[in-house]
Each structure stands twice: as structure tokens, then as C-alpha cells.
Amino acid sequence: MPRAAAFPLARLHDSAGGTPIAAAVARPVADSRRCWLEAFAAVRAETERRAAPLSAEDQVVQSMPEASPAKWHRAHVTWFFEQFLLRAFAPSYRTFDERFAYLFNSYYVAAGPRQARPQRGLITRPGAAETTSYRAHVDAAVASLIETTSDGESVFPIVEIGLHHEQQHQELMLTDILHAFAQNATHPAYDANWQWPGGESEAGAEAGDMLIADIHTIGHDRQSFSFDNERPAHQVLLQPVRLSRALVTNGDWLEFMADGGYTTPGLWLSDGWATLEAQGWDAPGYWRHVDGAWFSMTLGGLRAVDPALPVCHVSYYEADAFARWAGKHLPSEAEWEVAARAGALDDAFGTVWQWTRSAYLPYPGYVAEPGALGEYNGKFMVNQMVLRGSSLATPAGHSRNTYRNFFYPSARWQFSGLRLAELER
Ligand SMILES: [Fe+2]
């Protein structure tokens, strides 16, 4: 039976506690050892905190090929440190179990063969308890390496990317278990006390918009951590465009639905309409029509749809159709980033990822990292769309203006929403 959640999820994005990874960067070596130890312990503990409400049975379920079991996430992020850090830099490290590399490698072809993604839910062994032992074994070895290495210049950057990688999986642990729970007709709650995070928009206030144009620089300047797909910084030319300060709400979406949004092919991209027909979409993901009212499956179980809250669990196809219905368009990722840097977007972070109309492509001059870690981002740069911002499930300290998330246009199990843009005529 699931244990009660040990923490209020609404606080997940609260960065008031600081960002341990950032604190560890750019320190003198003696000082940085302590900072990296603290950062490592904090991020690893957050993963276990998120797993704590889940039973062993919850942890093994895989509800669709794209979603992974919680236990697999816990083990995979551990394998990442074992594969890319300990095997490379800790000669005396004793591998916990040689067979785990096959089970918990995700997509790193250069790191060897692996379990097919859709079959991750078939991995009943190791169990949840042995996975905990695996994590403890690797935790001790990484801590020892941080304390003793004479090659911090090589070791600490791998620790750093491993921690950012683990934070990405912390978010997926929640999106994936929500998808699993949504298949259960009893609507189990991950955390019965879960609440939507408080937004920045004032209720009833005019949302407004911001006009941007001209030449701007986007992308990461390498002054702190970034993934390779955020680089290099480069100039973009924007046509005059107005971006909405506010996110599209459930109330807006109910108007779209009432106006035939899901029954008007002319609003939809061809692939989007085909997906709508194949999937039977008539509302956002996880919405349920009960006794004449709309409810939505959330981390707190089934809740009434609140018209004032941002719409969530919509695909790119739905976001694009909504924008067309509204006579507007989705912002490009460059438009989004310029407006975010200017502080012109409410709820840019911590509520819902926001679809952009930008395909996920390499920036001009993009070069993937060398070696197996070069598979992290670059090989996925086709057929997916960029989302910007971050969501209520994104760990504290993991968000930034240049961050590029990406998913297939039909995906809607992430906490994904939208804001609108309009060309200035
Ligand atoms: Fe991963």
C-alpha cells in the first residue's frame, strides 16, 4: 500500500533553499569538494524523496513505452554515475552487478547493448529494495571519489552533468507515475494533499502582452552549467510580435471545446487531426467528463477542472489548433526566450512547460559533446518540438531561460501547456 507523501509537492519548485549544484561550481578545489559532496547528497536524496510515496508495485509498472517505471529511473540515474564517472575515474571501483548495465542503459549505443525501452516494466529483478542497495553502493563510491580525486577538473564536470541528468529523471518519475495512476479507475493520488503551485498572474487582472522585435542574442553563454543543446549563444532576428504575459487557462480551453475545437478539421494540422481521430481526443489529457462536469487526473487524484488554472497535458497538435482558433500562433523559442529574459512572461517557470512552434534543431555552430555523452541530446534533433520554461514537477534550480525541452508533437503526458503570440501588423 502506498505510504503517505512525506512532503507537499507544491513546494517542489520552491528554490528558496538555494541550488546546491550551482553553489558547487567555480569554487577553489578544497572548497569545491565539500560543495560537490553536498550537491550530490541533496540531489540523490530528492530522488528518494519523490520515490517515497510509491510502493514496490507502483515502482515497477510501465504504463506505455514512453514512460519508465520509477524503479528504473532510480537505477538508471545510478548507472549513469557508474558508467560515466566511476568506471572512467575510480580504478578501484567494484561494479555492483555487471548485469545492471544492460538493464539500466537508456539509449547510449556507445555504452553497450540495453533492454528495449518498451520492456522496462518487465524488469521485476532487481526489486525496489535491491535498487536501494545499488544506489547506496554507488553513492558511497562517488562520495569517496569526490573526496580523494586528484583530477577534479575531469571528475567534477561529470558529477555535475550526472546531477542535472538525475534532476531530469526526477521530473519524469512524476509524469510517468501520473500516467500509470491515470490508467487506474480508482484514481489513486500520489500525494492526497497535492495542490497546484501558486501562479504569478493576478486573478481578474488584465494579462497584457509585450511587443518584441529586432536583433537579440539567445542561447547559453557558458558562464554556468548548460546542456550542449543550449549552445552556442547566437543572434536572431525577430519580426515585431506580441507575446501574452499569461498562460492559456482551462477556461480558455473550455471555450475552444464549446466552439467545436475538437470537431473542426480546418483548425488542425493534418498529422494532428489524424492523431485526434486515432486517439479519440475530445479534451486535454487526463480530463474526465463526470455527471456533466469536467474533472482531471492530477498528482492529488481526480480533481474538478478549475477554469482559472493553466491548461495542462495538451499536445503540440492541440496547442497549435488552439492558437489557430484564437487567431494567433505559438511563439517561436527565440521569441519566448527574448520575452523571458525581459521578465515579460508570467508563470514562465514552475507551472507548465510551454510549447513553441520551433522544431528541435541544432543551433548554428552546435557541436555535440565528445564520446558517449555526445548522445545525450544531439541525436534527437529531428521530428520533435521545443518546449520552454519548466513545470510544477521540475526540481528547484533546474530551470533557466535558455533551457530547451523537447517532445514529439503528439505527447501530452508531460505537464505541458501554452501561451500565445501575435504578429504586430
Ligand atoms: Fe537518462
Side-chain angles (χ1 to χ4, degrees):
M1 189 171 170
R3 296 183 292 279
F7 60 97
L9 268 174
R11 287 190 196 157
L12 283 178
H13 191 73
D14 181 359
S15 59
T19 58
I21 304 176
V25 178
R27 296 291 185 114
V29 171
D31 200 20
S32 68
R33 282 190 207 279
R34 179 182 56 78
C35 291
W36 282 118
L37 283 171
E38 289 174 2
F40 183 76
V43 172
R44 297 286 283 172
E46 175 63 16
T47 301
E48 295 302 275
R49 195 168 73 113
R50 292 185 181 216
L54 304 176
S55 69
E57 292 86 350
D58 291 333
Q59 288 198 42
V60 80
V61 69
Q62 181 174 27
S63 54
M64 65 173 171
E66 295 81 3
S68 297
K71 183 183 71 181
W72 188 91
H73 285 299
R74 294 175 60 222
H76 162 69
V77 293
T78 305
W79 166 82
F80 190 97
F81 284 110
E82 189 173 62
Q83 174 68 29
F84 297 118
L85 184 68
L86 298 174
R87 287 187 177 157
F89 297 102
S92 62
Y93 174 69
R94 176 182 58 80
T95 300
F96 184 82
D97 188 322
E98 296 286 351
R99 299 170 298 179
F100 284 9
Y102 183 88
L103 297 178
F104 301 124
N105 178 359
S106 52
Y107 53 68
Y108 297 91
V109 176
R114 71 218 67 85
Q115 177 91 355
R117 188 183 189 190
Q119 272 93 53
R120 289 173 183 167
L122 302 180
I123 303 172
T124 58
R125 308 285 178 92
E130 191 176 0
T131 300
T132 301
S133 298
Y134 178 40
R135 288 181 63 88
H137 176 84
V138 168
D139 284 349
V142 172
S144 174
L145 179 62
I146 292 172
E147 285 170 344
T148 60
T149 185
S150 58
D151 186 12
E153 204 170 309
S154 301
V155 164
F156 297 154
I158 306 292
V159 173
E160 184 174 35
I161 195 170
L163 294 178
H164 286 277
H165 169 254
E166 183 146 347
Q167 288 186 314
Q168 292 182 312
H169 281 274
Q170 288 168 359
E171 173 153 2
L172 294 174
M173 285 172 69
L174 297 188
T175 60
D176 294 0
I177 201 64
L178 177 58
H179 188 268
F181 284 174
Q183 314 312 308
N184 185 328
T186 68
H187 308 114
Y190 170 81
D191 173 359
N193 297 317
W194 176 85
Q195 297 292 333
W196 267 84
E200 295 169 3
S201 305
E202 286 182 35
E206 276 298 313
D209 53 28
M210 180 188 185
L211 177 65
I212 54 175
D214 299 326
I215 296 172
H216 298 266
T217 297
I218 68 164
H220 202 275
D221 61 9
R222 305 199 74 138
Q223 298 302 305
S224 56
F225 178 83
S226 61
F227 287 112
D228 60 9
N229 63 2
E230 300 167 58
R231 307 188 298 257
H234 61 282
Q235 289 188 321
V236 293
L237 171 61
L238 304 183
Q239 303 304 314
V241 63
R242 291 187 177 278
L243 264 69
S244 171
R245 288 200 73 92
L247 298 169
V248 169
T249 65
N250 289 324
D252 299 328
W253 207 267
L254 287 164
E255 285 183 37
F256 169 66
M257 290 165 60
D259 199 33
Y262 282 91
T263 55
T264 309
L267 292 173
W268 292 72
L269 294 166
S270 176
D271 283 355
W273 186 253
T275 306
L276 175 155
E277 289 197 307
Q279 302 292 326
W281 288 347
D282 62 358
Y286 302 150
W287 280 32
R288 312 273 190 265
H289 209 218
V290 183
D291 296 333
W294 284 106
F295 290 76
S296 177
M297 183 63 184
T298 73
L299 290 168
L302 196 64
R303 300 273 179 86
V305 168
D306 181 343
L309 290 176
V311 70
C312 188
H313 303 301
V314 294
S315 63
Y316 174 81
Y317 292 138
E318 290 163 289
D320 173 82
F322 179 94
R324 192 167 294 106
W325 169 78
K328 300 184 179 181
H329 63 264
L330 298 176
S332 69
E333 63 172 321
E335 291 165 353
W336 189 98
E337 185 172 327
V338 170
R341 285 173 184 254
L345 305 181
D346 288 344
D347 302 318
F349 302 101
T351 304
V352 292
W353 290 98
Q354 296 129 67
W355 287 106
T356 74
R357 70 173 188 277
S358 298
Y360 180 50
L361 292 170
Y363 281 165
Y366 168 77
V367 180
E369 299 286 338
L373 284 174
E375 296 184 52
Y376 203 109
N377 285 305
K379 71 181 185 182
F380 300 110
M381 290 176 173
V382 68
N383 295 336
Q384 305 199 58
M385 303 302 288
V386 172
L387 301 96
R388 288 306 198 102
S390 65
S391 86
L392 58 90
T394 309
H398 193 70
S399 309
R400 52 187 172 269
N401 287 330
T402 57
Y403 199 104
R404 305 175 80 199
N405 200 353
F406 51 93
F407 278 96
Y408 290 103
S410 61
R412 57 182 198 168
W413 89 105
Q414 297 300 304
F415 295 97
S416 50
L418 67 154
R419 72 178 70 241
L420 296 176
E422 185 171 24
L423 279 176
E424 181 82 346
R425 300 183 193 282

